[in-house]
Amino acid sequence: QVQLQESGPGLVQPSGTLSLTCTVSVGSISDGYWWSWVRQTPGKGLEWIGDIHPGGTTNYNPSLKSRISMSIDTSKKQFSLRLTSVTAADTAIYFCARENYHDSRLLDYWGRGTLVTVTS
Amino acid sequence: QSALTQPPSVSGAPGQGVTISCTGSSSNFGAGYDVHWYQQVPGTAPKVLIYGSRYRPSGVPDRFSGSKSGTSASLVITGLQAEDEADYYCQSYDGSLSYAVFGGGTHLTVL
C-alpha cells in the first residue's frame, strides 16, 4: 500500500514562494510511475498542477507553467513543488499523488493533503 | 470552467439508485482516453472508485459501476447508503490540453 505525505508551510505571504514536499513513505518512487501535484479550491474544484518522472522529466499545467517548478530526489523518496509569486487565488489544499501515466493519468494513491493559505 | 462537465448535485433516497454524468469532448473521451471516478468525503483525499472507465479497485462495492460511450461517461450507484454521501469527480487526460483534467464535481445527497 503506497503512502504519501505532504509537508511544508501552511502560510505563505503574497508574492512569496510556496514550497511543498511529498514523501513516499511506503512503496518505491522509482518503479515507473509518475508523481503528481493536485490542488483543490472551493471555487475551482480539483486542478492538476503538474507531474514528474523519477528521471526528472516534468509536465506542468499551462496556466501555472510560468510560476511552477518540480523536482525529485529518489534517494530520499521525495518530490517537491515550488510555486512563485503566489496570490490569494493560490490558497488551496495541495495533494500529492501517484500517477499512472499510461492509464489516462489515473491518480491511484493520494496524500492526505495540506492546506496552504496565502495571507499577509 | 472544467474540461469535463458534471452536474453540481444529485440526490436519492436510501436504497435507490443515481447516475452521475460526465460530459467530455473529442480530445479526451472521444480520443479514446479512459475516465476515472473518485469519491471524496469532506476533509479527506479523493479515493479511486472506478478506473479505466469501468473497473473497480478491490474493496469498492459492486453497487458502483462506470461506463463510457463516445464523449460521455457515467457513474451509477445502486442501493444508496448514507455513507455514499460525498463528492464525486470524473477525471481523464485531454490530448489537446496535454494534461489531466477533472470534472467540477458532483455532490451526492442521500435523502
Side-chain angles (χ1 to χ4, degrees), chain B residues 19-99:
Chain B
T19 298
I20 299 175
S21 62
C22 178
T23 302
S25 68
S26 59
S27 58
N28 41 68
F29 299 158
Y33 294 104
D34 281 319
V35 62
H36 313 300
W37 290 93
Y38 302 87
Q39 178 191 59
Q40 185 180 33
V41 174
T44 69
K47 166 191 138 181
V48 179
L49 203 60
I50 297 288
Y51 68 95
S53 300
R54 59 190 179 98
Y55 301 100
R56 286 187 308 275
S58 60
V60 173
D62 60 6
R63 301 186 294 104
F64 296 89
S65 63
S67 65
K68 189 194 80 167
S69 179
T71 57
S72 294
S74 295
L75 172 70
V76 176
I77 310 172
T78 59
L80 278 173
Q81 300 180 3
E83 66 203 51
D84 298 334
E85 188 158 301
D87 295 320
Y88 294 83
Y89 293 89
C90 58
Q91 178 256 313
S92 185
Y93 178 76
D94 192 287
S96 292
L97 297 174
S98 298
Y99 57 85

Side-chain angles (χ1 to χ4, degrees), chain A residues 98-109:
Chain A
R98 190 179 81 167
E99 178 186 299
N100 290 253
Y101 191 86
H102 298 292
D103 189 5
S104 300
R105 309 299 196 270
L106 168 66
L107 301 167
D108 58 356
Y109 290 97

Side-chain angles (χ1 to χ4, degrees), chain A:
Chain A
Q1 185 83 353
V2 177
Q3 293 182 12
L4 300 93
Q5 178 68 56
E6 305 87 352
S7 59
L11 296 176
V12 182
Q13 290 193 338
S15 76
T17 297
L18 178 159
S19 296
L20 296 174
T21 295
C22 182
T23 301
V24 181
S25 57
V26 178
S28 173
I29 200 171
S30 304
D31 57 0
Y33 292 97
W34 289 62
W35 303 90
S36 278
W37 289 97
V38 176
R39 69 182 183 180
Q40 184 169 35
T41 59
K44 294 181 68 176
L46 293 168
E47 180 181 30
W48 181 81
I49 298 171
D51 60 17
I52 187 166
H53 183 268
T57 302
T58 56
N59 298 294
Y60 299 143
N61 188 317
S63 69
L64 300 168
K65 191 171 184 177
S66 63
R67 299 195 290 130
I68 64 174
S69 64
M70 295 175 62
S71 60
I72 191 165
D73 186 334
T74 56
S75 66
K76 294 182 179 179
K77 296 176 66 176
Q78 293 179 333
F79 60 103
S80 299
L81 168 70
R82 289 183 77 250
L83 179 65
T84 61
S85 304
V86 297
T87 69
D90 295 309
T91 293
I93 299 172
Y94 287 76
F95 296 97
C96 59
R98 190 179 81 167
E99 178 186 299
N100 290 253
Y101 191 86
H102 298 292
D103 189 5
S104 300
R105 309 299 196 270
L106 168 66
L107 301 167
D108 58 356
Y109 290 97
W110 296 63
R112 297 176 68 176
T114 186
L115 174 63
V116 178
T117 303
V118 178
T119 181
S120 55

